Amino acid sequence: MGTKDGLGRLLRPRSIAVVGGGAWCASVLANCRDFDGPVWWVHPIRGDVARVEDLPGVPDAVFLGVNREATVEAVNVLSAMGAGGAVCFASGFSEAVAELADGGDMQAALLAAAGEMPILGPNCYGLLNYLDGVGLWPDQHGGVPVERGVAIVAQSSNIALNITMQARGLPIAYVVTLGNQASRGVSDVIAELAADPRVSAIGLYLEGIDDLERFVSVARAVEVPIVALKVGRSAQAQAGAVSHTASLVGSSAGASALFARLGIGEVESLPVLLETLKLLHCTGGLAGSRVVSASCSGGEASLMADLGARLGVTFPALEQGQSDGLRAALGPKVALANPLDYHTYIWADVQAMTATYSAMMAGDVDMGLLVLDFPRGDRCDVEAWTPAIEALEAAVVASDAPMGLVSSLPEALPEDVAHRLIAQGIVPFSGMAEALAAIAVVGTMARDDSARPLVPGSYSGVPVVWGEGRSKAALAAYGVAVPPGDGAGPFVVKATGLAHKTEAGGVMLNVAACDLAQAKVALGGAVLVEEMITDAVVEVLVAVVRDPAHGFVLTLGAGGVDTELWRDTVQLLVPSTAAEIDAALSRLAIAPKLVGWRGAPGVNREGLVALVQSVQDFAQAHADALWEVEINPVLCTPTRAVAVDALVRMAED
């Protein structure tokens, strides 16, 4: 039953079958008109054959454009004959369980019928393979045949359709939609696409990851660069949280930390996704985000500088060799800087413009950019812009770093110009902000193979909030420093059993030893007595939250009662190294206080990092049951880092 060939036959078929009638299947047949192989139409009236059982051969790829019941029946027959795979267009499966009581049962029946035969969907448009003329796609699309290009993998068929309509010059090799990911998910598709040497980069539009362990393994194994746009940043994901941390760390933070660990570039919009893929297609990647920029306008130079500062791109000062070359090419009237306004003295002089662009690239930079907007071709003469393109093409040949052309407005870069530039290895960027955002993303895409993310276990118990005393005792066993409960004082006396004791008036500070009994009576019930830390320099939040989709997320941030107000946090994955933890602390807004601010002493940085590592050790030891651990605050002094409040949520039978 079925096939063990994975997705290869489905994505790169040698024979195709289209099952069903109507406009949807007519579109699929039209989209396969350039396919070099047999295409069989299965329909009882208009088709080549009446039934799937009557096919003259075993199809590699099948589009099922029939209702869900007929889909399950057809999949059963196709699997038995050894078909390569199918696109299930029908809906009414697990995505519709809120509306259809049998949606889950229908999906289970579909999977049982498929066996090992791969399925895309159900509830998806299917796939476009522009390399081999495959269009298992029931609608129009805007793509054209290519010999090499990027692959788009999307959980939204409509988003995928929209991407095919781009006019930015991005060469698209594949578009694959996932639907319910019932049989094959994003990880399987990535693995198959990355194995095709004609794929230069992979772009993901994700709502969720199918299988964390599989996703991590695939992402660490493939060599093709991956960029992701993940949606789902709503606060509803943290409903019912009992701690500060849960309101600060959600699935978006977990996804970002996971992508950073795996070297997957993360973007926040579709335009930046496309520009980033374009950059990766042309260059393969960047060593960093040090950029040199040239334009013939002071306004454009200023815009580039301002956007670079906001988006994380650096414009380093010109080196002597760059300045000498620019002065020779431009003469004495032009003020030399980066970004550069080279004026229009040399406009249309290919030799002078080539010398200018080449001189800009003579420094230690990761990429060079020429800012240039083209006039409307339907109303204006564009021939005067040709010398600039020729000069850029000449300069890139002699440059050690990649180069790109940037239009300030996306519509000011004609698609035919973009295609010409890509053919020369020059990145045609549509829009300044999009270009610089793409460079910033690619410049930081470095995979960390030092440690695999900690994958949460499948514990099914009920999360229980531990009291502060129990939480601290458990953490102390793993090396977390907690305040002692004896000594000369002064002391802190806390009422137990409250998640937010300060807000509830359950904390008494600076209590002398002789007043302990009175303080206990005042708070009532069980209390916790601890040494009061009096020389704290700064309060820090340290927490780990279980994110089943992305791993255990480590959060570091400004701590204390104003944690949620300041929202000064960074996220990493567990486990993270001491160096990664130290670097993350330096990214916080409170980082100056850690090293000493305005004459105040710095904190014991090694002690703070060691405490964080101890929290990670606790999390790793309890990965099957831990839901959350929060220490807020860690009081950081010049000599130690002490956890003065802690909360643990652990699943228990």
Side-chain angles (χ1 to χ4, degrees), residues 188-320:
D188 301 301
V189 175
I190 290 172
E192 191 63 48
L193 293 172
D196 190 331
R198 301 171 295 177
V199 172
S200 55
I202 298 174
L204 308 177
Y205 177 88
L206 294 178
E207 297 164 5
I209 293 172
D210 55 339
D211 181 303
L212 178 58
E213 188 70 37
R214 170 75 168 146
F215 186 83
V216 170
S217 297
V218 168
R220 288 166 67 101
V222 302
E223 298 297 330
V224 176
I226 302 172
V227 185
L229 169 57
K230 186 183 182 301
V231 295
R233 297 175 176 268
S234 66
Q236 285 88 340
Q238 294 302 318
V242 300
S243 73
H244 295 291
T245 305
S247 66
L248 296 172
V249 181
S251 60
S252 62
S256 296
L258 177 66
F259 294 154
R261 174 68 60 86
L262 298 176
I264 295 174
E266 185 180 16
V267 299
E268 296 185 357
S269 71
L270 286 173
V272 176
L273 175 65
L274 298 183
E275 297 307 307
T276 305
L277 289 171
K278 203 186 298 180
L279 172 58
L280 289 169
H281 172 80
C282 292
T283 68
L286 299 175
S289 54
R290 290 167 53 85
V291 175
V292 62
S293 171
S295 67
C296 60
S297 161
E300 292 168 345
S302 296
L303 279 174
M304 290 291 281
D306 289 347
L307 287 169
R310 178 167 63 85
L311 296 171
V313 170
T314 301
F315 292 100
L318 296 175
E319 300 173 11
Q320 190 62 50

Side-chain angles (χ1 to χ4, degrees), residues 217-586:
S217 297
V218 168
R220 288 166 67 101
V222 302
E223 298 297 330
V224 176
I226 302 172
V227 185
L229 169 57
K230 186 183 182 301
V231 295
R233 297 175 176 268
S234 66
Q236 285 88 340
Q238 294 302 318
V242 300
S243 73
H244 295 291
T245 305
S247 66
L248 296 172
V249 181
S251 60
S252 62
S256 296
L258 177 66
F259 294 154
R261 174 68 60 86
L262 298 176
I264 295 174
E266 185 180 16
V267 299
E268 296 185 357
S269 71
L270 286 173
V272 176
L273 175 65
L274 298 183
E275 297 307 307
T276 305
L277 289 171
K278 203 186 298 180
L279 172 58
L280 289 169
H281 172 80
C282 292
T283 68
L286 299 175
S289 54
R290 290 167 53 85
V291 175
V292 62
S293 171
S295 67
C296 60
S297 161
E300 292 168 345
S302 296
L303 279 174
M304 290 291 281
D306 289 347
L307 287 169
R310 178 167 63 85
L311 296 171
V313 170
T314 301
F315 292 100
L318 296 175
E319 300 173 11
Q320 190 62 50
Q322 292 171 295
S323 297
D324 292 344
L326 289 170
R327 185 60 69 209
L330 298 172
K333 294 182 180 181
V334 175
L336 303 183
N338 181 28
L340 173 70
D341 167 18
Y342 64 86
H343 295 233
T344 54
Y345 301 123
I346 60 171
W347 187 255
D349 186 336
V350 174
Q351 183 176 356
M353 285 193 290
T354 300
T356 298
Y357 306 157
S358 297
M360 290 290 288
M361 298 304 297
D364 180 18
V365 296
D366 300 305
M367 186 161 199
L369 299 175
L370 170 64
V371 181
L372 189 66
D373 283 63
F374 288 78
R376 292 180 55 138
D378 59 340
R379 299 177 182 175
C380 306
D381 180 11
V382 300
E383 287 302 316
W385 274 251
T386 301
I389 300 177
E390 294 175 348
L392 183 61
E393 291 172 335
V396 75
V397 173
S399 174
D400 293 329
M403 299 185 71
L405 184 147
V406 182
S407 62
S408 59
L409 298 174
E411 58 269 28
L413 178 56
E415 191 172 15
D416 61 334
V417 174
H419 288 307
R420 171 177 173 173
L421 294 172
I422 287 176
Q424 300 298 319
I426 299 169
V427 188
F429 285 117
S430 302
M432 285 181 177
E434 292 87 348
L436 296 178
I439 292 170
V441 168
V442 174
T444 57
M445 285 174 59
R447 188 164 65 197
D448 178 11
D449 292 327
S450 61
R452 293 180 64 88
L454 180 63
V455 176
S458 57
Y459 197 88
S460 58
V462 178
V464 175
V465 179
W466 290 3
E468 182 180 350
R470 183 183 179 187
S471 297
K472 284 182 175 176
L475 291 166
Y478 284 83
V480 175
V482 300
D486 53 11
F491 295 97
V492 176
V493 183
K494 306 176 184 179
T496 60
L498 299 174
H500 302 298
K501 290 178 283 294
T502 301
E503 294 92 325
V507 178
M508 296 182 68
L509 304 175
N510 205 31
V511 178
C514 60
D515 296 327
L516 282 177
Q518 183 178 355
K520 293 177 182 179
V521 172
L523 291 177
V527 297
L528 189 64
V529 178
E530 295 179 333
E531 173 197 355
M532 182 173 174
I533 310 299
T534 58
D535 58 342
V537 175
V538 66
E539 295 177 295
V540 173
L541 164 75
V542 178
V544 172
V545 172
R546 180 192 193 95
D547 184 345
H550 308 111
F552 283 94
V553 182
L554 169 65
T555 295
L556 307 173
V561 295
D562 292 332
T563 290
E564 292 163 312
L565 175 63
W566 299 123
R567 304 187 72 84
D568 175 24
T569 59
V570 293
Q571 282 77 38
L572 302 169
L573 284 188
V574 176
S576 289
T577 65
E580 290 169 335
I581 294 167
D582 189 73
L585 291 170
S586 296

Side-chain angles (χ1 to χ4, degrees), residues 112-149:
E116 295 182 351
M117 185 184 77
I119 288 174
L120 288 179
N123 189 35
C124 79
Y125 259 26
L127 70 99
L128 293 161
N129 174 349
Y130 292 114
L131 300 163
D132 304 308
V134 178
L136 301 183
W137 192 262
D139 205 340
Q140 300 180 84
H141 63 88
V144 295
V146 298
E147 295 182 357
R148 178 177 175 270

